[in-house]
Amino acid sequence: MNDLLRSAPDLDETDLAILERVERDFDASLEALAEELDITKSTIHYRLNKLREAGVIEGVSADVDPLALGLEMVAITDVSVTHERGYSDEIGERLDELDGVEQVYYTMGDVDFVAISRVQTRDQLNDLIDRIVAIDGIDETSSKVVMQEFDNDRTSTRNLPEEARDAVLDGNEG
């Protein structure tokens, strides 16, 4: 069992059902959740609080459509760096701080980092790439521009493979 599962809180099917529902729509009322899941409002309330305290639910946020802000250009940038002690944290944080960068991943393989960026124009993308290359320790970048986005449901519970679901549910049994 990996470290993530060892530190996971004790979750059951009801917790996962609540998480699946609130991930789709956090604004759902306790009444609607109770009716949909066939459990009492007080149980929903108690379990939501338990999930917040355990750090499973980290906060409440609005899903803002990036296209409504004109952020129609998505770039996936592979970043190769000079390998020095502590480089992953330092360079990862610097990449993550750049305006326009939505996500940063430290990876193993041919590249060291992958940055997902969203901008309005080619000029903004060129400027962003210039700012990435200017970070001390970055040797090389290679960007791909996304031509079409599909419905990317970024919820954790929706695409949870059955094996992963079983591991979460059985994670605290040893």
Side-chain angles (χ1 to χ4, degrees), residues 75-89:
I76 301 167
T77 304
D78 295 335
V79 180
S80 298
V81 303
T82 303
H83 293 210
E84 295 179 4
R85 187 173 186 91
Y87 77 94
S88 62
D89 289 337

Side-chain angles (χ1 to χ4, degrees), residues 28-155:
S29 68
L30 290 178
E31 292 84 6
L33 289 171
E35 183 177 320
E36 182 178 329
L37 300 174
D38 196 29
I39 52 181
T40 67
K41 288 190 307 185
S42 62
T43 298
I44 298 280
H45 186 264
Y46 168 78
R47 286 181 179 249
L48 283 171
N49 285 336
K50 182 181 87 164
L51 292 165
R52 280 187 199 104
E53 290 168 8
V56 176
I57 296 176
E58 295 181 335
V60 179
S61 62
D63 292 329
V64 176
D65 180 1
L67 300 178
L69 302 176
L71 298 170
E72 297 184 17
M73 183 174 282
V74 178
I76 301 167
T77 304
D78 295 335
V79 180
S80 298
V81 303
T82 303
H83 293 210
E84 295 179 4
R85 187 173 186 91
Y87 77 94
S88 62
D89 289 337
E90 182 179 331
I91 292 177
E93 289 171 7
R94 301 262 327 264
L95 287 167
D96 195 46
E97 291 171 354
L98 293 175
D99 290 340
V101 173
E102 285 187 340
Q103 299 169 310
V104 175
Y105 300 96
Y106 172 56
T107 62
M108 300 300 290
D110 295 341
V111 297
D112 300 298
F113 294 90
V114 175
I116 311 297
S117 306
R118 194 177 277 277
V119 295
Q120 297 168 323
T121 67
R122 287 189 306 254
D123 287 340
Q124 290 173 358
L125 181 58
N126 284 331
D127 178 60
L128 177 59
I129 299 301
D130 286 346
R131 289 183 283 131
I132 289 173
V133 173
I135 294 174
D136 191 38
I138 291 183
D139 294 331
E140 185 178 316
T141 65
S142 174
S143 296
K144 298 160 222 44
V145 175
V146 172
M147 298 302 293
Q148 180 181 356
E149 282 186 75
F150 296 89
D151 185 24
N152 294 317
D153 187 351
R154 293 179 183 88
T155 60

